[in-house]
């Protein structure tokens, strides 16, 4: 039973990730893209546990899930900090255009 | 242009997916990798030789110990090279990075980091010490350990993290890791074996030959973990501040 | 332990419903802050519910190993409970200090007027 539950959950998670990927692809601002990447990263922890259930080695894959969610958190904090400690992206673009001209 | 470049990407991706169908099943006995004499030798001998349940760790730290040792040295050299280039390029001083502005540390982020950094460090030690049984080992544990220091540097400032783990201390810890690895190798050489022949350590450890290899592997992993964590943090500190060691990303 | 498995499956399905809300919100909402609202809340809760559900489903007997597994999965849940809202907050603050403006009533009126004119 747990096998079929895992297959069903994995398939539906994948289907529901498509709208998020659309937001990463189209996303009018950069923040939308980062947000989408963050959402998919959080869901990857669940996908890793699902993979563990399929291979019957959940004890192993849970470690991966912890490490993956840790790295996802570090990535989000890095992007947020970089944007926080620099001038806004629009201004950055304008200054770069000026220096090129 | 973007659309045109999508065509070869899609074509190659489709070809790869098509080829993936021909792969052997997961864990199949008749796959080429399982049929070579090397893997059957490792599968049948690892448990008897070293008493390590995780074959990957045994191959990595024992049978191929020489290779892993120089992998660690490569990590060390990468750190030293970045330090030598960035610290010596004359960019030190108080001037800011391009586009940089001042900002206060965020209250919520700092408090969360305060809560989870000890948890991450315990997890790093768990991964390091549990490498014999589950996936893990020195490299992975070292990365998690380095990430905890990087988190401190991200939540506050680089200076706060450098107070706890300065660059000179980083380099000491990194060299200490290699000394531990090489020292275990030389110790087994002194005791009458070959370089990195851990079984000879039974003469100083009160255990059997197999368990000597088991424990020596743990020592080697600890050395790798030291080097990787220290170099991870040194690389972040230097690359994010362009060698100035101020402010950080 | 059929009762635990049923509870776990229910948890997972409720998590899927919340993730459906997050995904729809990310596509349909008009500006970054409202999308962040959908993604931050729905994503955190659905991940926690799904992981807890899997922890209960894989709990087949009450031996030491399965207890250890449940504790590990709960550790992931706790970790996500702490980190996911924090990263949402950090991204939000970064966007706000980057002069990303929220959608106001004025913008809405303007877009409505434009839509009427094109009709």
């Amino acid at each position: 039973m747990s096998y079929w539950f895992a297959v069903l959950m994995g398939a539906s998670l994948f289907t529901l990730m498509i709208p998020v990927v659309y937001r990463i692809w189209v996303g009018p601002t950069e923040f939308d893209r980062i947000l989408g990447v963050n959402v998919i990263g959080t869901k990857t922890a669940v996908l890793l546990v699902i993979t563990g259930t399929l291979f019957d080695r959940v004890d192993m894959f849970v470690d991966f899930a912890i490490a993956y969610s840790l790295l996802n958190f570090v990535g989000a904090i890095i992007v947020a900090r970089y944007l926080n400690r620099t001038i806004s992206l629009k201004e950055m673009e304008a200054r770069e255009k000026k220096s090129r001209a | 242009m973007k659309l045109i470049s999508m065509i070869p990407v899609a074509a190659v991706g489709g070809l790869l997916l098509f080829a993936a169908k021909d792969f052997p099943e997961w864990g199949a006995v008749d796959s080429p990798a399982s049929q070579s004499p090397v893997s059957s030798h490792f599968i049948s001998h690892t448990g008897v030789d070293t008493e390590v349940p995780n074959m990957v760790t045994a191959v990595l730290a024992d049978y191929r110990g020489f290779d892993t040792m120089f992998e660690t040295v490569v990590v060390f050299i990468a750190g030293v090279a970045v330090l030598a280039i960035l610290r010596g390029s004359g960019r030190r001083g108080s001037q800011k990075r391009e586009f940089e502005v001042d900002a206060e540390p965020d209250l919520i982020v700092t408090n969360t980091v305060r809560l989870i950094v000890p948890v991450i460090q315990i997890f790093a030690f768990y991964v390091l010490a549990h490498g014999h049984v589950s996936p893990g080992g020195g490299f992975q544990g070292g990365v998690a350990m380095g990430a905890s220091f990087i988190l401190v540097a991200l939540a506050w400032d680089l200076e706060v993290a450098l107070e706890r783990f300065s660059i000179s201390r980083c380099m000491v810890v990194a060299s200490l890791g290699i000394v531990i690895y090489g020292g275990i190798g030389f110790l087994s050489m002194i005791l009458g074996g070959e370089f990195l022949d851990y079984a000879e350590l039974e003469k100083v450890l009160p255990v059997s030959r197999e368990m000597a290899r088991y424990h020596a592997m743990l020592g080697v992993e600890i050395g790798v973990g030291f080097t990787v964590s220290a170099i991870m943090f040194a690389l972040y500190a230097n690359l994010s501040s362009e060698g100035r060691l101020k402010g950080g990303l | 332990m059929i009762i635990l498995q049923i509870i776990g499956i229910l948890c997972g399905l409720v998590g899927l419903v919340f993730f459906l809300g997050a995904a729809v919100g990310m596509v349909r909402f008009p500006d970054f802050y409202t999308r962040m609202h959908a993604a931050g809340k729905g994503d955190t809760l659905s991940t926690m519910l799904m992981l807890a559900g899997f922890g209960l489903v894989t709990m087949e007997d009450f031996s030491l190993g399965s207890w250890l597994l449940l504790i590990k999965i709960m550790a992931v849940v706790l970790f996500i409970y702490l980190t996911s809202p924090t990263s949402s907050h950090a991204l939000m603050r970064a966007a706000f200090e980057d002069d990303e403006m929220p959608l106001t009533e004025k913008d809405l009126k303007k877009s409505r007027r434009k839509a009427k004119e094109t009709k």
Side-chain angles (χ1 to χ4, degrees), chain B residues 145-168:
Chain B
M145 196 72 189
S148 73
F149 286 107
I150 290 177
L151 260 182
V152 172
L154 285 171
W156 286 273
D157 264 328
L158 196 54
E159 288 94 330
V160 177
L162 283 174
E163 257 171 44
R164 284 152 179 79
F165 201 24
S166 68
I167 292 294
S168 53

Side-chain angles (χ1 to χ4, degrees), chain A residues 59-78:
Chain A
D59 50 339
M60 240 169 66
F61 279 81
V62 167
D63 289 355
F64 303 161
I66 297 179
Y68 198 89
S69 50
L70 159 69
L71 292 182
N72 189 42
F73 176 61
V74 175
I77 295 291
I78 282 180

Side-chain angles (χ1 to χ4, degrees), chain B residues 10-241:
Chain B
V12 171
L15 269 178
L16 287 177
L17 278 180
F18 180 69
K21 197 181 66 178
D22 288 342
F23 276 151
E25 289 266 309
W26 187 74
V29 187
D30 56 340
S31 71
S34 305
Q35 272 175 346
S36 85
V38 180
S39 47
S40 66
H41 175 88
F42 280 141
I43 288 168
S44 56
H45 283 67
T46 310
V48 185
D49 281 354
T50 64
E51 301 209 6
V52 174
N54 184 359
M55 275 170 259
V56 178
T57 306
V59 171
L60 193 90
D62 191 321
Y63 294 107
R64 277 192 327 140
F66 210 61
D67 181 55
T68 310
M69 181 176 150
F70 282 100
E71 272 165 23
T72 319
V73 174
V74 164
V75 170
F76 180 73
I77 289 173
V80 172
V82 166
L83 260 166
I85 292 170
L86 282 181
R87 303 280 298 196
S89 66
R91 287 197 122 189
R92 296 165 75 179
S94 61
Q95 91 268 30
K96 279 181 179 159
R97 219 177 51 229
E98 203 179 4
F99 303 137
E100 195 177 345
V101 289
D102 284 329
E104 287 290 302
D106 191 288
L107 180 73
I108 292 173
V109 174
T110 48
N111 274 310
T112 308
V113 169
R114 208 193 291 268
L115 272 176
I116 65 169
V117 157
V119 182
I120 292 171
Q121 291 184 343
I122 288 173
F123 177 68
F125 283 129
Y126 159 77
V127 169
L128 180 79
H130 217 245
H132 294 305
V133 194
S134 66
F139 287 100
Q140 293 88 336
V143 166
M145 196 72 189
S148 73
F149 286 107
I150 290 177
L151 260 182
V152 172
L154 285 171
W156 286 273
D157 264 328
L158 196 54
E159 288 94 330
V160 177
L162 283 174
E163 257 171 44
R164 284 152 179 79
F165 201 24
S166 68
I167 292 294
S168 53
R169 218 175 286 170
C170 269
M171 294 329 278
V172 169
V173 170
S175 351
L176 192 68
I178 291 182
V179 168
I180 290 174
Y181 204 137
I184 289 175
F186 275 114
L187 191 62
S188 44
M189 212 161 122
I190 291 167
L191 291 171
E194 290 162 5
F195 188 63
L196 292 174
D197 187 3
Y198 308 137
E200 300 298 328
L201 289 173
E202 56 147 355
K203 288 167 190 161
V204 285
L205 293 173
V207 286
S208 64
R209 281 179 81 81
E210 289 79 25
M211 283 311 278
R213 288 174 86 165
Y214 185 101
H215 290 306
M217 262 185 246
L218 180 62
V220 162
E221 299 271 24
I222 289 171
V224 174
F226 271 30
T227 307
V228 171
S229 59
I231 291 297
M232 272 275 292
F233 181 61
L235 278 182
Y236 167 77
N238 275 294
L239 287 177
S240 67
S241 64

Side-chain angles (χ1 to χ4, degrees), chain A residues 1-2 9 12 16 19 23 29 31-32 34-35 38 42-43 50 59 63 66 73 76 80 83-84 88-89, chain C residues 5 16 19-20 26-27 32 35-36 43 46-47 50 54 57 69 72 76 83 87 90-91 97-98 100:
Chain A
M1 188 164 74
S2 66
M9 288 286 284
S12 24
L16 287 178
R23 186 49 69 196
T29 63
F31 308 105
D32 284 308
I34 301 161
L35 181 64
N38 201 16
T42 323
K43 280 290 168 291
I50 290 174
D59 50 339
D63 289 355
I66 297 179
F73 176 61
L83 292 171
N84 220 346
S88 73
L89 288 171
Chain C
Q5 291 207 334
L16 268 186
F19 188 42
L20 176 70
M26 278 202 78
V27 174
F32 170 71
R35 285 195 280 265
M36 168 70 92
D43 185 44
S46 66
T47 308
M50 279 182 214
F54 266 97
V57 166
L69 193 58
K72 265 189 191 173
V76 187
T83 57
S87 51
L91 283 179
E97 295 195 353
D98 235 55
E100 169 82 17

Side-chain angles (χ1 to χ4, degrees), chain A residues 3-63:
Chain A
Y3 179 82
W4 284 111
F5 178 56
V7 170
L8 182 84
M9 288 286 284
S12 24
L13 260 184
F14 240 90
T15 324
L16 287 178
M17 269 185 195
I18 293 171
V20 185
V21 173
Y22 163 81
R23 186 49 69 196
I24 296 173
W25 190 293
V26 176
T29 63
E30 288 77 5
F31 308 105
D32 284 308
R33 297 171 208 266
I34 301 161
L35 181 64
V37 170
N38 201 16
V39 168
I40 287 190
T42 323
K43 280 290 168 291
T44 309
V46 184
L47 278 180
L48 278 172
V49 174
I50 290 174
T51 317
T53 318
L54 293 183
F55 285 152
D56 227 359
R57 293 297 304 269
V58 189
D59 50 339
M60 240 169 66
F61 279 81
V62 167
D63 289 355

